[in-house]
Amino acid sequence: MQRDANVLDLRVIDPERRDLVGGKAAGLAALIRLGERVPDGFCVTTEAYRLDEVPRDEVLAAYERLGGGPVAVRSSATAEDLPHASFAGQQDTCLSVSGTENLLEAIRACWTSLHTERARAYREAAGIPQDTARMAVVVQRMVDAEVAGVLFTANPVTGSRRETVVDATLGLGAAVVDGTAAADHYVLDGPTQQARGCLTPARLAELRETGARLQGALGAEQDIEWAYDRDGVLWLLQSRPMTALFPAPPESREPGPRLYVEFGHVQGMLQPATPMGVATLKSVLAGMLASFGIAVEIVDIGGRLYGDLTDAMRDPAARQRLVKLMAVDFGPRAQAVVEHLLDDPRFTPRRSARRPSAAALTAAPGAVAGILRALARPEAARAGVFGEIERLRRRPVTDPATAAELLDLLEDGAPPHTGDAILWPVVTGLLVCAALPPLLRGIAGDDEIHTVLGGMPHNVTIEMDLALWQVARRAAPYREMLLDTPPDQLAAAHLAGELPDFGMAESSTRTASAPPPRSTSVYRGGRRTRRRCSRCSPTACGSPTPSRPRTAASNAPRPGPRRHSPSSPGAPAASDRCGDGSPGSSCGAHGS
């Protein structure tokens, strides 16, 4: 194939030449080489795009060889149908194009669509340099579709590789692809299907078989566009890798389902860990779980850490401890899931001569000593955790001077710091939480126990929840203003420091004898001055009250008894009373 070719028949394209024909044309060429049924067509290559001139004579000659008539003109950018970025719907497709001039115009439209704002934004999000993108164009004979749609060889919602998902509609499938039309939705998880919708069981079986064949041949889960013509013949219009599918767990030595739980999800780790972080966390987590007598394999899936709980679920001694551990660190919902799976026959206990693992034997002495120290001196243990974190933060980090030193560090495999001073006080806290339910069984119900746990001190999560609750409580009187003011005006007022202070910036040491200073805030009604009730502490009240003299702008919503004002129907009237100083409150103070 010549490097400077401007127009190529799809049947002669080398699928490896994405730089010349783009992703869509390369994918169609691969299907043709596999012997699949693909509509005849040709490709206007990136070489023509580089010259910025549609090769009129070559295009019209290729169009004539197709027999003229309606064709589909489809973008085929070099940065398209990639394993990590599909670019679905980002560039133009023109269907049922007839006539030479319309064809040439449609090719130019595809070229132009490479530089739309949405296409540029998609490339930027995918980390693809803008100056590397080139556009080829695929022209194919239109299929007179009776029914068409898309097929996924894995479930894009659940990630299940055992399910095939089909969306189909009568006529052209473009509306299914771009999501503008309702489609019949099929989840195929067995060999037989009941007749419903626009696809017969026979056609569903054929689609599923086709998807499995292409996945096996192309080596990855596929997103396939297809159409049945009026004669009932299946045509493949595109096949590309599924890009929104989370990586599958590693292959297991034993058949059957496995139970995984993500550690990063619980700890709020929003990004994948680095390789060194993965190695360190694997060692720490395995040792911590081993101290509970639970053997869990820590695996890396997509740069995130998961615990394979399957063996622990099948261990007669460990499975009940696992339920308690889930309740402490993962919450009641995760605990309910694990308890439900205890009755699943696929996780039936297997009796075996289980011996303590090497990790458990290694971790046990340090675990016992660390837990006993934390129980005996909890304040000292807590101070030690924060001190160790600060020490690690201040410790200078020196990169290996040579590649050989870096290789030695990686091959060593042992984390540079075991973190016992941090780990075992945390484990002690988990154990104390786990001990409450059995200790209070018959004395307190589950809801009461959760209330007790929620009120325990030094719980960062609970403290954050309470802080958010306080902000929501203080923002409640401004509900109408926050909901009705356009976002750009709210953003501008925030940047100018003119929104009410909902308490996020208040000092925890401020007392009733040192009331907060005056501040100003802007509403659509104008500017007003406010200060807080002088008798309420920030945590007990903290409600903004108007100062005198008042202006018309002070009719904006504020804390206080909700009355209807003649000047502002439905809005709260101005009041001198502290928002928490209603007759039934413990404050009862007036703004000063």
Side-chain angles (χ1 to χ4, degrees):
M1 182 169 44
Q2 295 180 354
R3 169 73 182 179
D4 59 352
N6 290 324
V7 176
L8 294 171
D9 190 291
L10 292 179
R11 293 171 294 184
V12 302
I13 288 177
D14 181 355
E16 300 298 323
R17 293 299 303 277
R18 297 179 62 97
D19 61 319
L20 184 63
V21 299
K24 189 175 277 89
L28 291 170
L31 293 178
I32 293 172
R33 292 199 174 193
L34 290 173
E36 302 293 341
R37 189 180 294 107
V38 175
D40 292 338
F42 60 90
C43 174
V44 182
T45 67
T46 58
E47 188 66 20
Y49 172 83
R50 185 184 66 82
L51 298 173
D52 195 25
E53 182 178 352
V54 177
R56 181 185 181 93
D57 293 341
E58 295 177 67
V59 168
L60 297 185
Y63 180 51
E64 184 177 351
R65 287 194 294 272
L66 284 182
V71 293
V73 183
R74 313 169 69 192
S75 65
S76 181
T78 53
E80 187 171 334
D81 292 356
L82 299 173
H84 64 283
S86 69
F87 279 81
Q90 300 303 310
Q91 281 111 196
D92 283 358
T93 290
C94 303
L95 301 178
S96 301
V97 176
S98 296
T100 57
E101 294 305 320
N102 290 334
L103 172 59
L104 298 173
E105 182 179 347
I107 292 173
R108 295 189 187 95
C110 286
W111 283 359
T112 302
S113 69
L114 182 67
H115 303 291
T116 61
E117 286 298 324
R118 66 179 182 182
R120 294 181 66 86
Y122 194 102
R123 285 194 293 273
E124 182 177 353
I128 299 172
Q130 303 289 349
D131 57 358
T132 64
R134 298 289 185 271
M135 177 65 79
V137 178
V138 171
V139 179
Q140 287 179 281
R141 182 179 293 134
M142 283 291 299
V143 175
D144 184 14
E146 175 188 3
V147 59
V150 295
L151 177 152
F152 299 97
T153 60
N155 193 318
V157 176
T158 66
S160 173
R161 271 67 169 180
R162 293 184 176 88
E163 296 176 341
T164 298
V165 174
V166 177
D167 290 299
T169 187
L170 296 174
L172 298 177
V176 176
V177 176
D178 58 26
T180 59
D184 293 329
H185 183 70
Y186 305 87
V187 179
L188 312 179
D189 55 1
T192 60
Q193 297 293 323
Q194 295 183 350
R196 65 176 181 86
C198 59
L199 288 175
T200 65
R203 288 185 174 180
L204 287 171
E206 182 180 16
L207 287 170
R208 181 169 186 170
E209 179 185 349
T210 300
R213 183 172 65 248
L214 291 181
Q215 177 178 324
L218 299 175
E221 290 80 9
Q222 295 292 301
D223 168 0
I224 303 166
E225 293 181 27
W226 53 268
Y228 278 100
D229 65 18
R230 303 291 174 179
D231 296 324
V233 177
L234 175 62
W235 296 86
L236 300 186
L237 310 178
Q238 180 171 292
S239 187
R240 60 190 173 201
M242 293 182 65
T243 57
L245 205 58
F246 195 75
E251 290 291 334
S252 173
R253 295 184 299 272
E254 298 183 14
R258 305 194 70 79
L259 175 61
Y260 292 89
V261 59
E262 185 191 0
F263 291 107
H265 173 73
V266 175
Q267 300 301 329
M269 297 168 58
L270 303 181
Q271 298 294 330
T274 64
M276 182 64 76
V278 168
T280 301
L281 289 171
K282 276 187 175 183
S283 175
V284 170
L285 290 171
M288 182 183 73
L289 292 169
S291 68
F292 287 93
I294 299 175
V296 174
E297 183 181 2
I298 311 299
V299 297
D300 174 6
I301 307 175
R304 301 177 187 273
L305 289 182
Y306 286 78
D308 184 350
L309 308 184
T310 311
D311 291 341
M313 286 285 291
R314 292 170 176 161
D315 188 309
R319 60 194 337 234
Q320 293 299 331
R321 288 198 297 272
L322 182 63
V323 172
K324 296 177 182 178
L325 181 64
M326 297 297 293
V328 172
D329 205 19
F330 291 86
R333 291 185 178 179
Q335 181 188 27
V337 171
V338 173
E339 285 181 320
H340 174 74
L341 291 178
L342 291 180
D343 297 327
D344 191 314
R346 296 173 297 179
F347 293 97
T348 300
R350 300 175 181 176
R351 299 203 173 271
S352 59
R354 188 174 65 91
R355 297 179 179 180
S357 65
L361 293 174
T362 302
V368 172
I371 292 171
L372 290 177
R373 279 196 301 268
L375 287 173
R377 301 180 61 194
E379 294 295 337
R382 187 178 304 109
V385 169
F386 289 107
E388 182 65 11
I389 292 174
E390 182 65 15
R391 186 189 72 80
L392 292 174
R393 189 180 69 83
R394 292 179 177 274
R395 188 176 65 180
V397 177
T398 304
D399 291 334
T402 65
E405 293 178 4
L406 176 61
L407 184 61
D408 290 340
L409 180 64
L410 294 176
E411 289 181 343
D412 183 23
H417 180 77
T418 59
D420 284 356
I422 299 174
L423 177 62
W424 299 121
V426 173
V427 171
T428 303
L430 296 178
L431 289 173
V432 171
C433 291
L436 273 180
L439 287 175
L440 297 178
R441 185 174 294 114
I443 301 175
D446 289 342
D447 291 341
E448 294 171 310
I449 293 174
H450 292 154
T451 300
V452 172
L453 291 174
M456 293 179 70
H458 310 295
N459 187 319
V460 177
T461 305
I462 296 298
E463 290 174 359
M464 289 190 295
D465 290 343
L466 290 174
L468 289 174
W469 173 76
Q470 289 281 6
V471 172
R473 185 177 66 85
R474 289 167 176 164
Y478 303 94
R479 175 183 175 86
E480 291 82 3
M481 182 267 290
L482 293 172
L483 291 177
D484 298 341
T485 305
D488 56 341
Q489 293 183 23
L490 282 176
H494 169 70
L495 293 175
E498 296 170 343
L499 285 181
D501 178 6
F502 298 134
M504 290 295 289
E506 289 187 359
S507 170
S508 60
T509 60
R510 185 177 291 157
T511 64
S513 61
R518 295 174 182 264
S519 63
T520 59
S521 55
V522 166
Y523 306 92
R524 286 179 295 176
R527 183 182 300 270
R528 67 183 175 88
T529 305
R530 65 178 177 85
R531 62 181 175 183
R532 300 190 184 279
C533 163
S534 59
R535 288 179 55 187
C536 293
S537 68
T539 55
C541 173
S543 301
T545 60
S547 63
R548 297 177 179 84
R550 285 170 37 206
T551 66
S554 63
N555 284 328
R558 63 173 54 81
R562 297 188 61 84
R563 312 178 195 137
H564 286 85
S565 169
S567 61
S568 180
S575 172
D576 292 349
R577 186 175 293 276
C578 162
D580 283 355
S582 59
S585 75
S586 60
C587 172
H590 287 69
S592 57

